[in-house]
Amino acid sequence: EFVHLLLSQASAPLPAWFEEGTADLYSNLSVARGRASIGAAIPTHVRAVQTSKLLSASELRQPGKSSEPVFYPEAWALVHYFSLSPEWQRRAAAFRSREEFLAAIDADLDSAIRGLPLYVNKIAPVVVNAPSLRRAPVELSDVSTNEASILHAEVAVSTGHVEVAEK
C-alpha cells in the first residue's frame, strides 16, 4: 500500500495496470546484510501468466479490468519486464522524461504481452547494495490535534501539495 501512496503523488495519473504492477513488484522487496532484492518471482503470478489468456493492450487500458483474475499477475509481469529486463534497462537511459518512457511502453505493450509467458520463466530478482542507514536517536512526544494539523500542513506545503495544506 505504501507504493500506492507514493504513486498517487505523481503529477499525472499512471495507467491502472502500471500502478498495480509496480505495487506487486515491490511487494516482496527484501533487505538483508546491506543488500536489497527487488523483483523476485511470485510463483502464483508466474503460473497465471503462463496458463491464462492474457488481456490485450487495449483491454488493459480499459477501466474496470482489475476485476479480471489475470489482471494483477499480468500487470506485475509487465512492470517487471519494463523496469528490470536487461533490454528495457538499456532503453531507459535514452528517455528524457516520464512521459517519453510511458509512451514507449504503450507503443510496445502488445509485443511485451505476447512475450510474457516466456519472460516469466527467466525472472530473477535484481540485487543492489542498500544504502546504510545511520541510526539517529528518535524522540517521540504527544502533540495536540492542532499541532498535528500544523505539522501535516507543513509536510503538504513542503511536498508541493498546497491544496492539502489549505484543508
Side-chain angles (χ1 to χ4, degrees), residues 13-89:
L14 294 165
W17 69 264
F18 192 87
E19 186 172 320
E20 295 299 340
T22 301
D24 270 3
L25 180 70
Y26 286 96
S27 69
N28 61 4
L29 168 82
S30 66
V31 179
R33 288 175 272 175
R35 311 272 293 159
S37 175
I38 304 159
I42 300 174
T44 55
H45 284 7
V46 170
R47 200 167 23 267
V49 167
Q50 291 171 330
T51 61
S52 302
K53 180 183 181 306
L54 299 177
L55 299 170
S56 68
S58 62
E59 290 171 319
L60 275 175
R61 292 182 193 107
Q62 294 172 10
K65 286 298 179 176
S66 62
S67 62
E68 299 283 338
V70 75
F71 178 84
Y72 290 92
E74 184 174 352
W76 163 79
L78 284 167
V79 169
H80 196 291
Y81 173 71
F82 288 125
S83 301
L84 301 177
S85 72
E87 174 191 349
W88 271 83
Q89 285 187 338

Side-chain angles (χ1 to χ4, degrees), residues 141-155:
S141 63
D142 291 330
V143 295
S144 70
T145 303
N146 287 340
E147 290 171 313
S149 294
I150 291 169
L151 291 170
H152 183 257
E154 288 175 354
V155 169

